[in-house]
Amino acid sequence: MAEHRTMQRDALLDAARSLLSEGGTEALTFPALAERTGLARSSVYEYFRSRAAVVEELCAVDFPVWAAEVEGAMARADTAEGKIEAYVRQQLTLVGDRRHRAVVAISASELDAGAREKIRAAHGGLITMIGEALGELGHRQPRLAAMLLQGVVDAAVRRIELGVAEEPDVIANAAVSMALRGVQT
């Protein structure tokens, strides 16, 4: 019975990821979740009391996985510059991933305090890691530089998602170049 409930919960979260990545937070409704999973709408309420609860669960499940992938890429780099490049490239590589698109949609939406806190915690770990790499380069304000660097990554993510004229590789290379030249002291 518990295994069946876990499977249904996972199916609901998977449907939520799809809805978010396809249509943003407006697309995430209980009727849509019910339709995607074949569950009755009342069954959806057995698992989640609100849309905010679905979002909070996705944050708790997906954000740490996504952050761990970025962390792993940084850990494999030998130099501070390599860590910074890995930080940028891995986030941009994840743009096509449904979990990442869902996280981006969630981040852009009005969140309750619980979901915001989960995102802040996962993001804080990444900012700390990139701040350490910036510190290794001798940056005087590594935390501030880390926040600004994340702004470059976020802008590159949006540019890739827009499907504009440049290829994703061109955008990634430009973001890496900006990150590395912009963080030199």
Side-chain angles (χ1 to χ4, degrees), residues 22 25 74 137 171:
E22 291 162 18
T25 49
M74 288 176 70
L137 288 178
I171 296 169

Side-chain angles (χ1 to χ4, degrees), residues 47 57 105 123 128 139 142 156 175 179:
Y47 293 90
E57 182 77 11
H123 223 261
T128 298
H139 207 285

Side-chain angles (χ1 to χ4, degrees), residues 56 112-119:
E56 192 171 330
D112 71 348
R116 267 199 314 275
E117 193 45 50
K118 285 183 172 60
I119 287 178

Side-chain angles (χ1 to χ4, degrees), residues 91-126:
Q91 287 189 66
L92 298 181
T93 298
L94 293 170
V95 170
D97 184 290
R98 255 178 348 127
R99 279 175 324 187
H100 181 264
R101 283 202 307 270
V103 163
V104 169
I106 289 166
S107 299
S109 71
E110 291 299 311
L111 297 174
D112 71 348
R116 267 199 314 275
E117 193 45 50
K118 285 183 172 60
I119 287 178
R120 220 184 337 268
H123 223 261
L126 286 178

Side-chain angles (χ1 to χ4, degrees), residues 14-25:
D14 202 46
R17 282 181 198 101
S18 294
L19 291 164
L20 284 164
S21 66
E22 291 162 18
T25 49

Side-chain angles (χ1 to χ4, degrees), residues 22 52 76 82 100 149 160 182:
E22 291 162 18
R76 290 188 293 277
H100 181 264
L149 174 56
I160 289 170

